Amino acid sequence: PGRFVQHMDFNHFRTIGMRRSVEEGVTSRFVTGERIQALLKETPNLRTFGATEYMDSALTLNVLNELFLRGSPSRGRGRPSRGSEVVVDDINDEEEDRERRQDCKDLEAVDLTGCISAVFVSALTEFVNMHILPSLDGQSNGCKDRDRRERGHSSQSVAFAREEPLKFPGLQRLCLRGVKSIQPHILTPFVLAFPSLTHLDLSGTRVTPELLAALGDSSAKLRSLALARCILLTGESIKNFLIHAPAAARIEELALYGDRTFPSPLSTEDLGDIFSLAPCFTSGELTYLDLSSAPITKELLHDVCRPQPKLRSLGLSYIPDLELGVIAQFISSKAVNVEVLTLISTSPELDWCTVGAGRGAPRSSALQASIALHSQVVGPLCTLPYTSILSTTPIMPQARTRLHVIELSVPALTGLGAGAGTWKIIRSKGGRGWYVDTASGWVGGELKRELPGDHPLRKEMERLADANGNVSSGVGWHARKMEVLHGYGMLGREDGLYGAVSFAYQG
């Protein structure tokens, strides 16, 4: 039956609450490298694989070989040079394993969110050294041992094959979010070994400016890119990549999220160049954008940034000096299709909570913050206009924008109390929360407002608001993690541990 399996993930696997002792967790693990390897051997048509921090100790070298060496690499198409089939055998595999992998399909997507165990880090390091990185004498590590196993191939063919590193042309979507234990000298060649990437999440990793520069010159055609909280990146490297890299020209989803702990490295000058010159901004094709903690100004939004008619989810958190009126004017004039807006710790009008000892008094009160939010954002952008009852022609009033979800900080949500009218607070399973118009939703391919009280969608939204955070991990908006296993990107929905990373965790 394994030939029918195309998707495998451990998103919902955990041993918490199973009354297992510490000793049992060490000596009698449910998920082991041997079991995963056995499963992978029986699933030749597997296309997507997802791992988590709860089982990353089972990601051994043998498992990585079974994952990445199947399909094209074992058929000799992983290297562009002739004779490439000479060097794709793993030193520990039998010949029948290589022949079996030749009949397997290439993986299309891999999700390794949060995998940081010593076993995984060691296995990935060994995998990269063995199959991707060349040694000082021009041979990849392990080639000398494999030479002794090769028969019937000339030394000239072997040397020619080793000039090119192993590539994995079948994989299109890769998520390494939070894989912070992988050092740059391993992360860089690993990412560059996938020349056909369309979705890439490197948030919270040790990605360097050198990796961005090399990725920009690769054959990748990125549609979705996440570089949130990457402490080694510089504003200059991000700017050059977005403006000059062919791989970045078609980006539709861009996450450059930063917060107070790891703020954005972009400067105001960098943002000006990106807004005016980067193809992904000038094309107007962006659907998801997060520039939280970037030093965005009124002039950049109104005078430099081009209209973004397809933008649906916009992140502008941790920008304390950006006024609500400026944001509202930008959405109403250049991004009317935005449905979700994040404003955590943004704007002086919403900064009402106590700043802290030695940092001054709050710039606003809870009442003033609520009034400002409704008068400058909710009212102008989300409210249906009044129509005259004396009109003889039927008029279907429409709000000026599609905005119906606003993410706010916990103190700001607390200050809103029970909400106003149909606007309610929906909290995630973790620390995030949103101010939501529960009477708005997509019905029949159209965003409709003022849904009747007995409408199923409105009843469900009100139930989520009443739950006060006692919801599943997949409840939320404006994901912080890219969905890669099904290819939905930053606008995708996930649950389980992936959903918690996307919607629940505040950091």
Side-chain angles (χ1 to χ4, degrees):
R3 67 184 184 276
F4 299 110
V5 177
Q6 299 184 15
H7 175 100
M8 183 188 302
D9 75 69
F10 295 84
N11 182 27
H12 293 87
F13 170 77
R14 55 192 41 76
T15 57
I16 297 176
M18 300 185 68
R19 298 183 180 180
R20 286 166 57 87
S21 66
V22 176
E23 181 181 1
E24 288 177 323
V26 175
T27 61
S28 303
R29 290 186 295 135
F30 287 123
V31 180
T32 64
E34 293 77 11
R35 289 174 178 172
I36 295 181
Q37 183 183 5
L39 276 175
L40 293 175
K41 286 183 177 180
E42 299 299 327
T43 54
N45 296 315
L46 187 70
R47 307 311 296 265
T48 58
F49 180 85
T52 69
E53 62 191 65
Y54 285 99
M55 45 71 65
D56 56 353
S57 294
L59 298 179
T60 62
L61 177 61
N62 289 334
V63 171
L64 296 184
N65 286 336
E66 285 296 333
L67 280 173
F68 294 108
L69 295 184
R70 56 176 52 209
S72 297
S74 288
R75 291 192 292 267
R77 294 209 301 259
R79 299 174 188 266
S81 59
R82 58 182 176 89
S84 56
E85 68 278 1
V86 177
V87 293
V88 294
D89 290 345
D90 186 85
I91 188 173
N92 297 319
D93 285 335
E94 297 295 334
E95 183 65 22
E96 57 266 23
D97 286 337
R98 185 179 70 87
E99 295 177 356
R100 172 181 50 79
R101 291 173 185 155
Q102 291 178 358
D103 297 328
C104 295
K105 299 287 184 64
D106 289 31
L107 282 181
E108 293 180 356
V110 172
D111 195 328
L112 299 173
T113 296
C115 295
I116 57 173
S117 71
V119 173
F120 168 70
V121 172
S122 176
L124 185 62
T125 301
E126 188 174 356
F127 180 86
V128 170
N129 286 329
M130 181 178 294
H131 299 292
I132 300 176
L133 279 179
S135 61
L136 294 178
D137 60 356
Q139 296 185 357
S140 57
N141 298 332
C143 279
K144 294 181 179 179
D145 294 324
R146 286 195 294 272
D147 286 344
R148 290 193 292 266
R149 302 181 62 199
E150 299 296 338
R151 296 294 184 266
H153 297 283
S154 67
S155 59
Q156 180 180 2
S157 175
V158 174
F160 188 85
R162 291 171 188 144
E163 292 175 359
E164 294 291 343
L166 188 63
K167 299 290 184 182
F168 309 95
L171 195 127
Q172 301 174 16
R173 304 183 297 274
L174 178 65
C175 180
L176 297 175
R177 179 182 176 85
V179 186
K180 54 190 175 183
S181 299
I182 303 299
Q183 298 299 317
H185 70 278
I186 297 298
L187 179 65
T188 297
F190 181 68
V191 173
L192 296 178
F194 305 103
S196 305
L197 288 175
T198 59
H199 295 66
L200 179 61
D201 190 343
L202 294 176
S203 300
T205 65
R206 298 177 182 267
V207 55
T208 62
E210 291 74 22
L211 171 53
L212 268 192
L215 182 65
D217 295 330
S218 69
S219 58
K221 302 296 182 184
L222 295 174
R223 297 205 312 268
S224 183
L225 176 66
L227 298 173
R229 293 163 56 106
C230 295
I231 60 177
L232 298 183
L233 288 180
T234 63
E236 186 74 14
S237 63
I238 297 175
K239 180 188 72 173
N240 290 337
F241 177 77
L242 294 177
I243 294 177
H244 302 295
R250 300 179 182 177
I251 288 179
E252 299 173 4
E253 300 169 353
L254 180 62
L256 299 177
Y257 170 85
D259 52 24
R260 291 195 181 106
T261 306
F262 300 104
S264 170
L266 295 170
S267 65
T268 303
E269 292 75 18
D270 294 331
L271 288 171
D273 293 338
I274 291 173
F275 285 176
S276 58
L277 300 175
C280 58
F281 279 85
T282 58
S283 65
E285 295 294 323
L286 284 173
T287 58
Y288 175 104
L289 177 63
D290 197 322
L291 295 173
S292 297
S293 78
I296 298 177
T297 64
K298 176 181 178 179
E299 291 73 21
L300 286 175
L301 289 181
H302 292 176
D303 302 332
V304 182
C305 187
R306 304 280 184 89
Q308 303 296 331
K310 296 185 178 181
L311 193 60
R312 297 180 57 193
S313 193
L314 176 61
L316 294 177
S317 298
Y318 303 106
I319 311 176
D321 296 325
L322 189 61
E323 298 178 348
L324 284 180
V326 174
I327 299 173
Q329 184 177 351
F330 169 76
I331 293 177
S332 63
S333 61
K334 296 185 177 182
V336 295
N337 290 318
V338 165
E339 301 174 41
V340 183
L341 174 66
T342 76
L343 295 175
I344 302 174
S345 300
T346 290
S347 174
E349 294 98 332
L350 299 180
D351 189 14
W352 66 269
C353 59
T354 303
V355 181
R359 296 188 179 182
R363 295 185 288 181
S364 176
S365 68
L367 178 60
Q368 290 173 332
S370 178
I371 294 175
L373 181 67
H374 278 270
S375 63
Q376 299 187 48
V377 178
V378 174
L381 303 183
C382 313
T383 304
L384 296 176
Y386 293 105
T387 57
S388 174
I389 61 175
L390 301 178
S391 176
T392 58
T393 58
I395 299 176
M396 296 297 294
Q398 298 289 335
R400 295 181 63 187
T401 72
R402 288 181 172 176
L403 182 65
H404 61 104
V405 178
I406 304 173
E407 183 174 8
L408 299 168
S409 64
V410 173
L413 291 173
T414 303
L416 291 171
T422 60
W423 284 82
K424 307 290 184 181
I425 297 172
I426 296 180
R427 301 183 186 275
S428 72
K429 197 176 184 68
R432 298 177 66 184
W434 300 265
Y435 198 41
V436 182
D437 183 3
T438 58
S440 296
W442 285 91
V443 180
E446 180 183 358
L447 181 67
K448 294 186 177 180
R449 297 186 184 272
E450 296 188 354
L451 295 174
D454 59 349
H455 193 281
L457 181 57
R458 178 168 178 175
K459 292 171 65 176
E460 177 63 17
M461 298 297 286
E462 291 176 346
R463 186 190 69 82
L464 292 176
D466 295 337
N468 194 31
N470 187 20
V471 297
S472 71
S473 59
V475 173
W477 293 266
H478 196 76
R480 300 258 177 87
K481 174 192 172 298
M482 185 183 300
E483 197 287 313
V484 298
L485 296 185
H486 297 93
Y488 297 128
M490 299 303 299
L491 295 177
R493 304 212 64 85
E494 296 183 281
D495 55 7
L497 184 61
Y498 293 162
V501 177
S502 292
F503 304 112
Y505 298 161
Q506 182 69 267

